Amino acid sequence: MKKILALAALSVAATSGAFAQAFPSKPITLVVPFAAGGPTDLVARRLAEAMRKPMGGANIVVENAAGAGGTIAATKVARAAPDGYTLLVWHIGMAATTSLYRKQTFKPLEDFDYLGAINDVPMTLLGTNKLNANTYRDFESYIRANGGKLNLAHAGLGSASHICGLMWQSAVKLDKSMTTIAYRGTAPAMNDLIGGQVDVMCDQTTNTTSQIEAGRVKAFAVTTAKRLDKHKLLKDYPSLQEMGLKDFNLTIWHGMYGPKGLPADVAKKLNDALIAALKDPEFIKSQEDLGAIVVTDNRMTPAGHKAFVASEIAKLKTAIDAAGQFAD
Ligand code: ASP
């Protein structure tokens, strides 16, 4: 009898070990909640490339599931099988949407297994080239005078561009707010800003740097507390704090998640590969060139990232409540 039990125990151990060893045995899908070609898509695709080798050559494919500021994709991943084959790369929306959407379809701290943070990304306040302003001061007075006639583009309620626009408009206390136009991501919004169909946007440096450099849009300021003095191009733009918006400080971030209930060994394999990718000099440089920065070691861990998101939820709730606009 004892022998049979021992054999049974051995075979259980062998099965779960075999599962972990076999993972991944088919392509892993990284769900991105915004349009292809935009800033979150870019991070996810670079990360997929960098994780491939540490995952033993695994095939990691990106799926764009845009809509509702990222909440459609997040709901999809929260409800997927927790086997490690469906993962989410999302940004600050993971923390913001819970205060913005009164009927949230998932719980950010309960419905996911956190795999770690990826990067911090500053934002830039932009205008179309047709806008009659060249400096931040001109821009602010132009918006004050003409705000009611202008359009502000963003990537949906709870997107980074939406939060930034909301915080900036509430910080400068505009009398007439701009009309907002929601896109499926800032990639299509950027096309319209370049074309002059929309007037203003606040977007991540990972999407704006090359457009500013090519002179396709006008940049007025960065959203970080201090200017980005180490970046060859962005160092020339003042921070909003420098321009008198006391305490304005917005840096967005990305993280990686799986549905709640991933097998521990699968989660560990994914986190190990994520950390290896974040330490890859090529990945680090790809981020720095675009003004972003890979997170510090403590935030690369599941627990470190989860604690950070919890603190962001509290911080953003205050900002969103102050702006007083919600999605029902
Ligand atoms: N991250 C979004 C995108 O990739 C933009 C945003 O959140 O503002 O399009």
Side-chain angles (χ1 to χ4, degrees):
M1 181 66 182
K2 249 189 197 160
K3 208 170 172 187
I4 295 173
L5 281 179
L7 275 176
L10 252 179
S11 93
V12 168
T15 327
S16 66
F19 180 73
Q21 254 165 32
F23 178 82
S25 60
K26 58 178 186 179
I28 296 172
T29 301
L30 272 191
V31 181
V32 167
F34 298 101
T40 301
D41 181 68
L42 181 135
V43 169
R45 284 177 200 270
R46 292 249 163 96
L47 188 69
E49 240 172 75
M51 282 177 71
R52 193 182 163 90
K53 208 163 135 205
M55 289 295 289
N59 194 4
I60 306 177
V61 292
V62 169
E63 179 190 311
N64 300 89
T71 57
I72 290 174
T75 307
K76 179 180 166 142
V77 174
R79 292 179 185 163
D83 54 11
Y85 289 102
T86 310
L87 306 173
L88 175 70
V89 167
W90 200 13
H91 63 12
I92 193 167
M94 180 61 117
T97 51
T98 195
S99 301
L100 264 172
Y101 285 72
R102 290 185 164 151
K103 296 181 192 123
Q104 180 84 315
T105 42
F106 58 87
K107 294 199 167 60
L109 295 173
E110 287 168 34
D111 294 350
F112 298 92
D113 273 344
Y114 281 55
L115 293 168
I118 304 167
N119 62 2
D120 284 321
V121 195
M123 301 188 76
T124 32
L125 201 52
L126 305 174
T128 177
N129 275 345
K130 293 178 189 163
L131 213 71
N132 192 12
N134 287 317
T135 63
Y136 176 77
R137 295 258 179 261
D138 295 350
F139 172 72
E140 198 184 302
S141 22
Y142 186 81
I143 304 285
R144 275 192 197 291
N146 300 288
K149 290 183 259 165
L150 299 173
N151 293 323
L152 170 85
H154 65 65
L157 298 186
S159 64
S161 41
H162 171 244
I163 295 161
C164 182
L166 206 66
M167 282 170 66
W168 180 73
Q169 291 193 83
S170 107
V172 294
K173 300 188 180 65
L174 293 184
D175 292 339
K176 290 185 199 113
S177 49
M178 293 178 271
T179 304
T180 53
I181 303 191
Y183 290 80
R184 294 171 75 76
T186 50
M190 180 64 84
N191 287 339
D192 279 5
L193 189 73
I194 293 169
Q197 288 88 352
V198 288
D199 307 291
V200 176
M201 179 162 74
C202 184
D203 194 16
Q204 296 160 60
T205 57
T206 38
N207 199 35
T208 65
T209 304
S210 59
Q211 310 296 359
I212 300 168
E213 194 164 21
R216 294 192 196 101
V217 288
K218 290 182 179 180
F220 300 112
V222 294
T223 60
T224 39
K226 296 205 176 106
R227 65 169 72 199
L228 302 169
D229 47 17
K230 291 204 185 79
H231 193 273
K232 61 179 187 335
L233 174 84
L234 300 167
K235 68 174 179 352
D236 295 335
Y237 297 94
S239 73
L240 287 170
Q241 277 202 27
E242 243 179 285
M243 291 291 98
L245 301 190
K246 202 173 150 282
D247 300 333
F248 198 105
N249 185 8
L250 179 64
T251 298
I252 74 106
W253 39 268
H254 288 92
M256 189 187 254
Y257 315 84
K260 184 90 197 163
L262 295 178
D265 37 14
V266 168
K268 168 134 184 23
K269 232 177 191 178
L270 288 165
N271 177 250
D272 286 349
L274 173 66
I275 293 178
L278 299 181
K279 302 227 174 235
D280 175 343
E282 227 175 284
F283 183 78
I284 296 173
K285 181 159 187 327
S286 75
Q287 300 303 296
E288 285 175 359
D289 284 349
L290 297 174
I293 176 159
V294 168
V295 294
T296 46
D297 287 8
N298 59 325
R299 284 173 57 203
M300 291 178 190
T301 65
H305 181 44
K306 196 166 181 178
F308 174 77
V309 173
S311 70
E312 286 282 286
I313 289 176
K315 203 166 97 190
L316 285 159
K317 186 175 183 338
T318 314
I320 289 165
D321 286 351
Q325 289 174 28
F326 303 96
D328 284 310

